[in-house]
Amino acid sequence: MPIQFSHSTIRPLLPVVNDLDLYLSEHSLAFAIVSRKGVFLAANDHFLSKSGSRATLGTTPLSHFAKNWGPKIEGDGSDILMGWFFPSQKSESFWNETILEKSGSGQVSVTLFRASPTLSEEEYVLLFRESDPAHASNKIASDLGFHFIALKENILRLILDLRDYEALLPYFLKQDEPGGTVRGEISLYLAEEPRWIPGSGFLKIESRPIANPENPNWISLMSEPVAQLTGPLSQPSRRAFFTRKDDIPDLILNLPIFRETAFYGWGFRQLRENTAETGTIHRKALKSVQLLSERLHAIRTDLFLFRPLEREKILNLYSRQGLIQALEDLIEQNRFIGGAFGLIGITLDDPSGIEPTAALLKVFVRGADILGRPSPTEFLLLLPGNTAEMTAKTLQRLTTFIAPHIKMDYRLNATVGACHFPMDGHAPLRLIRLAFSQNAFRMGQDIPQSRLIPSEQSER
């Protein structure tokens, strides 16, 4: 195949690869995706031909190319080649140079280009093109930058799949459940879009054992495209829950995969009904899928495929604008699929209580909850998937959780309110106002009189 990969891809990427290969062939470009650790992730045959022998991605390190290609480079071009392969710092990711290579007919000018398409710059793209030295110019270098921009969308799709593979593989290798895991006990539905979009498709991802006597746990992942899911799973739940299928006697653990207001799909664990440690398995599986949610979200934000909610700088909680974005997303999502969510507003008496209150709230909130600061002395907690009854219970748990801390720290005194979507309206700003004013009550106790008297007077 003209383009090789370091490991199997999850998605059916043949159309993307064919389109990319056609463009590279048309413009005589050599192409590779390399990790900052010096490992090839993908490359076309033109690039691999410089290895001196047939190279296989996943086993051939970047240093092998430098070792085989370097002796063919004239003058100080060898140092330039090493700088192209191994950038010393991230600021060097966007780079181009020209070197001269020995050939049977004399010399060939090789224009080298490097750029990173991701925010973290953990991967970078290498391009080169050969030309007659007499025609070498800065225009060729600028042309490579133009080609990089033209190819960037398809390159990001390749990197997304390669990164998803690495993020998903540990999820399928978990062996911490009674009896271990075998093929068929774990599957995952991954949404093609990071937000809930009616009519969007899913990939059903499962593990595929590979016969390897030295490592019997060695597996790869495979996927099967599926149409939009229907039935009880068509509405994403923000909490983990158990569900039972009529045709399968075992217990099925259904875990929603999400981050912020995004929705990525579901993870499934098939459990035996007579398992005595069901609760323990539930907690371990929930923790595992929450970690997977964070990884999938980080990948998409790093590849500029998903805009994260805005945060404030002091405590890194969601800002007022970020909370409005979240509410708009949740309202839009629930317009298509129904459901509801709750809001809890907390207004502190004393601005000095911001940090201790934030520390407690970070412990209290669950993985699906969204905690932010719409103003300097206010906290807003969004509870996706909550019914009105669930929101009331959450509010009760919150007051019970903070009560003993308030007795020891008067700075935690606050006024608390709550509201609910959709019964309390559909406008984000209205919901925020109601969260602080509706059914509001005091949480805490009066500040001792001695704290209100200046120290000089109290000493008298």
Side-chain angles (χ1 to χ4, degrees):
M1 186 175 181
I3 296 179
Q4 293 186 28
F5 295 92
S6 58
H7 55 64
S8 301
T9 58
I10 304 174
R11 297 168 179 82
L13 291 175
L14 189 58
V16 178
V17 173
N18 286 341
D19 185 42
L20 186 60
D21 181 57
L22 181 63
Y23 188 98
L24 295 170
S25 300
E26 180 181 352
H27 297 279
S28 302
L29 296 172
F31 158 84
I33 301 175
V34 181
S35 76
R36 187 161 288 278
K37 297 177 181 179
V39 178
F40 275 104
L41 302 177
N44 66 348
D45 287 344
H46 190 172
F47 199 105
L48 297 177
S49 66
K50 293 295 184 180
S51 65
S53 60
R54 185 68 177 176
T56 303
L57 298 192
T59 59
T60 306
L62 200 57
S63 57
H64 174 80
F65 281 73
K67 180 180 178 180
N68 283 275
W69 196 356
K72 304 174 185 177
I73 306 303
E74 296 189 345
D76 60 358
S78 295
D79 293 335
I80 296 175
L81 185 69
M82 293 299 291
W84 179 58
F85 274 133
F86 305 105
S88 59
Q89 53 189 356
K90 289 187 176 181
S91 61
E92 295 181 349
S93 289
F94 194 85
W95 182 95
N96 61 265
E97 291 280 355
T98 300
I99 59 176
L100 293 176
E101 180 183 2
K102 300 174 186 176
S103 69
S105 58
Q107 291 180 333
V108 174
S109 177
V110 183
T111 304
L112 309 174
F113 178 88
R114 182 183 67 230
S116 177
T118 66
L119 187 63
S120 66
E121 299 184 3
E122 288 303 315
E123 298 92 2
Y124 49 95
V125 175
L126 299 178
L127 297 175
F128 74 77
R129 186 167 60 182
E130 299 145 323
S131 63
D132 188 315
H135 296 91
S137 67
N138 291 332
K139 183 179 183 302
I140 295 178
S142 63
D143 284 349
L144 292 184
F146 171 82
H147 293 311
F148 169 75
I149 295 172
L151 296 170
K152 187 175 179 180
E153 182 177 348
N154 280 339
I155 290 171
L156 287 175
R157 295 173 71 179
L158 298 185
I159 294 177
L160 173 66
D161 196 81
L162 294 169
R163 284 217 202 165
D164 275 355
Y165 191 100
E166 293 182 357
L168 293 171
L169 195 59
Y171 178 77
F172 289 86
L173 288 173
K174 293 293 181 183
Q175 297 288 334
D176 54 3
E177 298 176 5
T181 59
V182 297
R183 173 171 161 78
E185 287 192 342
I186 294 180
S187 60
L188 184 143
Y189 286 88
L190 185 64
E192 293 181 357
E193 299 290 343
R195 296 183 186 275
W196 178 263
I197 297 177
S200 64
F202 288 81
L203 291 173
K204 182 181 181 182
I205 302 173
E206 295 180 318
S207 61
R208 174 174 50 198
I210 299 177
N212 183 2
E214 297 180 0
N215 186 359
N217 295 324
W218 186 26
I219 66 169
S220 67
L221 302 182
M222 59 181 179
S223 72
E224 174 189 357
V226 295
Q228 183 183 12
L229 299 177
T230 57
L233 297 179
S234 61
Q235 177 175 328
S237 168
R238 306 293 289 194
R239 311 288 180 212
F241 62 92
F242 292 103
T243 182
R244 187 188 305 275
K245 292 185 178 180
D246 294 335
D247 56 339
I248 300 178
D250 296 334
L251 200 62
I252 306 296
L253 177 59
N254 177 355
L255 298 155
I257 302 174
F258 56 86
R259 188 63 180 170
E260 294 184 321
T261 57
F263 177 72
Y264 297 128
W266 296 272
F268 293 92
R269 298 262 181 130
Q270 184 174 328
L271 310 175
R272 299 177 180 85
E273 278 192 287
N274 59 359
T275 300
E277 301 181 38
T278 305
T280 301
I281 295 172
H282 177 277
R283 287 191 296 273
K284 288 182 177 180
L286 183 59
K287 184 177 180 180
S288 173
V289 84
Q290 285 179 347
L291 179 60
L292 178 60
S293 298
E294 293 176 3
R295 287 176 176 170
L296 292 175
H297 185 79
I299 289 169
R300 283 150 181 78
T301 53
D302 189 34
L303 271 58
F304 305 97
L305 301 176
F306 187 89
R307 183 169 63 98
L309 300 181
E310 185 180 297
R311 292 176 178 265
E312 48 90 21
K313 296 180 180 179
I314 299 175
L315 297 173
N316 198 35
L317 297 178
Y318 296 112
S319 65
R320 177 181 177 83
Q321 184 57 40
L323 290 167
I324 291 174
Q325 287 177 254
L327 285 168
E328 290 174 346
D329 288 346
L330 293 173
I331 291 170
E332 180 71 9
Q333 181 185 105
N334 284 277
R335 186 168 68 89
F336 287 104
I337 63 175
F341 60 87
L343 301 89
I344 294 176
I346 302 170
T347 306
L348 293 178
D349 291 355
D350 189 335
S352 65
I354 289 294
E355 289 191 7
T357 303
L360 288 174
L361 291 175
K362 287 179 180 179
V363 173
F364 177 78
V365 298
R366 294 170 289 189
D369 300 335
I370 296 173
L371 176 63
R373 290 179 63 200
S375 79
T377 58
E378 293 178 330
F379 292 92
L380 181 64
L381 180 58
L382 305 184
L383 306 167
N386 267 26
T387 62
E389 182 181 359
M390 292 168 63
T391 300
K393 289 182 178 180
T394 302
L395 183 58
Q396 184 179 6
R397 286 202 325 272
L398 177 63
T399 55
T400 302
F401 173 72
I402 293 183
H405 298 279
I406 290 183
K407 292 181 180 179
M408 297 182 291
D409 191 345
Y410 76 95
R411 297 175 301 169
L412 300 176
N413 287 348
T415 300
V416 183
C419 68
H420 194 263
F421 173 88
M423 66 176 60
D424 291 322
H426 293 72
L429 292 178
R430 170 181 167 80
L431 290 171
I432 290 176
R433 286 196 301 270
L434 289 177
F436 292 96
S437 60
Q438 185 165 277
N439 302 317
F441 63 92
R442 290 277 302 152
M443 183 172 64
Q445 54 190 355
D446 293 334
I447 300 175
Q449 185 67 22
S450 61
R451 295 188 183 276
L452 301 177
I453 303 174
S455 58
E456 300 85 11
Q457 293 182 359
S458 61
E459 290 174 357
R460 297 173 188 171

